[in-house]
Structures are given as C-alpha cells and as structure tokens.
Amino acid sequence: MNLTSSPSNGKKVGILGVPVGYGAGKTGSELGVEAMRLSPIRGHALIDHIRSLGYSVEDLGNVEIVKPAIPGDTETHPRFIDEMVASCANIATAVKGVLAGGALPVILGGDHSIAIGSVAGVASHARDEGNEIGLIWFDAHADINTPETSLSGNIHGMPFSALLGQGDERLVNIEGFSPKINREYCAHVGARDLDAGERQIVHQLELRDNFFTMSDIDKRGMLACVEDAIAIASRAPGGYAVTFDVDMIDPRFAPGSGTLVRGGATYREAHLALEVIAENGGMRSFEIVEVNPMLDQSNITVELACELILSALGKTIL
C-alpha cells in the first residue's frame, strides 16, 4: 500500500504525547502513547497516514510529566494530586503552544485525567483571543465525579467536573480561571456506567439534555445524537475540543482499555461519530485516551484508536 500526500493547503497538525497513567486505577494507559505513535497500520506509521490526508504534521514528542515518587503508593485523595496538577499545567502549556503555531493539536493519551490539562490549554488559548470553546466528550463513563463523590480517588474519573468548575480547586484552577467550559457548550456521548454521585451531579448541573447515553443512541441512532452534540458544542463562538475515551466502544471491538463496560458503540458507530465531526469543521483539538496495550488483544485497540484519529481528521471511505 502506498500513501500519497497532497498539498497541505495550510492544514497543520501537531502531535503531542501525554503518557500519564497514574490517574487511573490500572497501569498501562501511559504505554498507549508510543503504541499509537509507532504501531504500523497497514505498513505505515500514524504520522504518515495523517500526512496522506493533506496535512503538514509535526510530532512534538511527549509533554513533560511529573511522576509519583512511589507509583501506586499514595495517601492523598484525590490520588497523586500534586503530581497531576503539575502535569496538567505542563499539558495546558504544550497544547497552547501547538495552537499558537497555527496547528490542530492531536493528543495521544494516557488516561482521561489528561483532559484537565489539554482542554484547559484549548480554552485558555481561546480566552486569550476573547473567545470561548465548546466540548464533546465521548466516554462510557461520565467522568464527572468530585473528590467527595469518588470512592476510588482516581482522577481519571473527575476531569469533566474539573473543567466545569467542580471539585478540587487545584485541578479546577489550572491556567488560572474557572470554569473552562460553559456547561451550555458541552455534550457527552456514549455514557452507560455512572456512579450514583455522578447521576446526582448531572441533574444538579442541569446537564441531562447534554448527555447522549447509549440508551439514547439505541433509540435515536448515533447520527442524530452526534449531530445534536455538535449543535450544542457549536454554540461556543470559538469552536470545540473533542476528547475520545476508547472505552466508549464495546469491548468486542476495543478490549485494550482499563475500565471496560459491555454494551458500547460499535466499530462503525464510533467512526461515524468522528466522520460527522470532521465534516462539521468546528473541531479545534482532538484527543484519544485510555488505550492500554497491556490489556489489548492482537493490537486491535491500538489500531482502532489510530483509525479513529484519521476519521476525526477527515478520512473517508471514498
């Protein structure tokens, strides 16, 4: 298979790796960064496939991560809070740098805690320009716990709430302002496993109409739900960030993640969602998280994650 690159026409992508795994309960998602970056897809690396879509691409390496001194040993709640705050500050700075250079950030995770920093970076860049951004969050889980509602203390269950201004002030105030996203501009797609505290928060914040659960997708179809999510996020004048947790997809198609829940989106539904987002043209950053090669089977989750990145960047069947 030969890949041919067309002229970029000014389209630029900056790839950032964010190898954080200690925000999750299981180790291994930090390895997803290099797995996606280096794993050959039909004989070619991810960066080559992105170039074939007509982008100029620069791989900017990995963000500097502050790691726990003793992995797995912590008495803090949330867990590893100091290291996470420092890392998210670095993530936000790196993402802002990509945007300042006129490129679209493609962020390879890492567990979903990294969204606290990555979305903060996009929101901060927009704020500097007098704008606000929206957010589309793909996930089997709400990720809207706070330290008070979380039983585990794992920060990968808290990023959505932190971006909305809820929870630990150190996470909430990354980049010096809060909330990062107006709740009217955010949409969540694919939820099917929420904690009791999360359900309460969703209703307290009057976010039910912003959540498109798997039950909604079953009833209405993925296309209708994603189109509504785009409409919500597009209310923001500065476009929207997209963050995609691979556990949104059913484990039959994506077994390599640490918090699997049966009954998720199919392979084609996931691609359809991102193809529609690419067609809309409002995306300002794309992030994919929770790819765990230690739990994968025959590398299918890693390959799927790379394919989803390409769909989000505009790859089509014809």
Side-chain angles (χ1 to χ4, degrees):
M1 175 184 176
N2 293 320
L3 292 180
T4 58
S5 298
S6 57
S8 69
N9 297 319
K11 299 194 301 180
K12 297 170 63 178
V13 161
I15 299 174
L16 281 175
V18 188
V20 170
Y22 57 82
K26 295 180 180 178
T27 60
S29 57
E30 68 277 11
L31 304 176
V33 173
E34 297 308 318
M36 287 184 280
R37 178 181 270 139
L38 300 175
S39 181
I41 313 163
R42 294 182 293 280
H44 297 273
L46 174 63
I47 192 170
D48 297 320
H49 283 277
I50 295 175
R51 285 186 178 125
S52 75
L53 297 177
Y55 293 90
S56 63
V57 189
E58 185 176 3
D59 190 334
L60 300 165
N62 292 344
V63 176
E64 182 179 353
I65 300 304
V66 179
K67 298 180 181 180
I70 307 175
D73 181 16
T74 179
E75 296 180 357
T76 64
H77 188 95
R79 300 176 70 235
F80 306 120
I81 180 64
D82 293 333
E83 295 88 346
M84 189 63 71
V85 169
S87 294
C88 283
N90 292 343
I91 296 166
T93 298
V95 169
K96 287 184 72 174
V98 176
L99 290 164
L104 184 144
V106 170
I107 302 145
L108 311 178
D111 68 62
H112 220 160
S113 64
I114 72 172
I116 298 172
S118 60
V119 177
V122 183
S124 182
H125 176 79
R127 180 184 173 93
D128 290 345
E129 297 184 336
N131 251 330
E132 292 184 81
I133 63 158
L135 175 64
I136 302 180
W137 193 285
F138 291 93
D139 207 316
H141 309 90
D143 286 358
I144 205 167
N145 268 308
T146 65
E148 291 71 32
T149 64
S150 173
L151 298 177
S152 68
N154 293 326
I155 294 177
H156 79 153
M158 307 179 194
F160 199 11
S161 60
L163 293 168
L164 292 172
Q166 308 291 312
D168 191 292
E169 289 189 2
R170 292 166 290 181
L171 297 173
V172 165
N173 289 317
I174 299 291
E175 284 295 303
F177 68 99
S178 177
K180 305 300 187 297
I181 308 290
N182 184 322
R183 70 186 68 172
E184 296 179 4
Y185 302 155
C186 63
H188 189 295
V189 181
R192 59 190 186 278
D193 184 20
L194 278 70
D195 298 336
E198 290 182 300
R199 292 190 187 95
Q200 184 176 359
I201 290 170
V202 168
H203 289 291
Q204 283 177 344
L205 297 180
E206 299 180 343
L207 286 172
R208 176 59 188 93
D209 290 342
N210 301 62
F211 269 69
F212 302 92
T213 68
M214 283 308 304
S215 180
D216 297 320
I217 292 168
D218 289 340
K219 294 172 183 175
R220 302 180 55 216
M222 179 63 80
L223 178 60
C225 291
V226 170
E227 287 179 335
D228 284 354
I230 291 171
I232 290 170
S234 295
R235 294 171 188 163
Y240 50 84
V242 177
T243 183
F244 194 107
D245 186 329
V246 294
D247 71 18
M248 181 262 194
I249 304 167
D250 193 87
R252 291 174 297 162
F253 308 103
S257 190
T259 48
L260 299 177
V261 187
R262 289 189 297 175
T266 66
Y267 176 96
R268 272 308 314 157
E269 284 175 327
H271 275 288
L272 171 64
L274 296 179
E275 288 165 1
V276 173
I277 283 174
E279 290 171 3
N280 176 262
M283 185 177 73
R284 297 294 174 261
S285 67
F286 182 75
E287 171 178 81
I288 194 155
V289 299
E290 300 285 359
V291 176
N292 190 329
M294 293 175 62
L295 303 174
D296 206 2
Q297 299 173 14
S298 302
N299 213 43
I300 63 172
T301 310
V302 172
E303 291 186 4
L304 173 56
C306 293
E307 292 168 355
L308 291 171
I309 292 169
L310 299 178
S311 285
L313 293 177
K315 182 178 181 181
T316 58
I317 294 172
L318 288 174

